[in-house]
Amino acid sequence: MSNKTVDARGLEPPQPFERAMEAIADLAPGSSFTLLIDRMPHPLLRMLDRDGYRHEANFRDDGAIEILIGRP
């Protein structure tokens, strides 16, 4: 299964959050997607923790943050 990428770099709030929420709504159990974003999305990460989603953030050399988000 391919991992979808949602590129939210350069967007003004709340667009990155909205794009992430749309991708989360489409996630099948056991699947994941990658979110590319300019800054750490703390409200999104709190929501993911609350709702039981997996997430792992990595800082890329180009300054972007790459977050792998998975549904259990």
Side-chain angles (χ1 to χ4, degrees):
M1 177 191 315
S2 66
N3 183 22
K4 175 182 174 180
T5 298
V6 175
D7 190 348
R9 294 174 292 179
L11 300 177
E12 292 295 320
Q15 289 177 333
F17 185 85
E18 290 171 350
R19 293 225 180 144
M21 293 305 294
E22 288 170 6
I24 289 167
D26 293 340
L27 274 182
S31 63
S32 62
F33 73 96
T34 299
L35 175 65
L36 296 177
I37 195 162
D38 296 316
R39 56 182 101 44
M40 193 61 75
H42 295 289
L44 174 64
L45 298 180
R46 284 192 297 272
M47 191 243 19
L48 294 171
D49 287 338
R50 181 196 70 201
D51 293 348
Y53 287 85
R54 301 180 317 274
H55 58 87
E56 179 181 329
N58 293 299
F59 292 89
R60 295 176 11 153
D61 290 340
D62 65 3
I65 301 169
E66 183 177 271
I67 304 173
L68 179 64
I69 298 172
R71 182 174 174 188

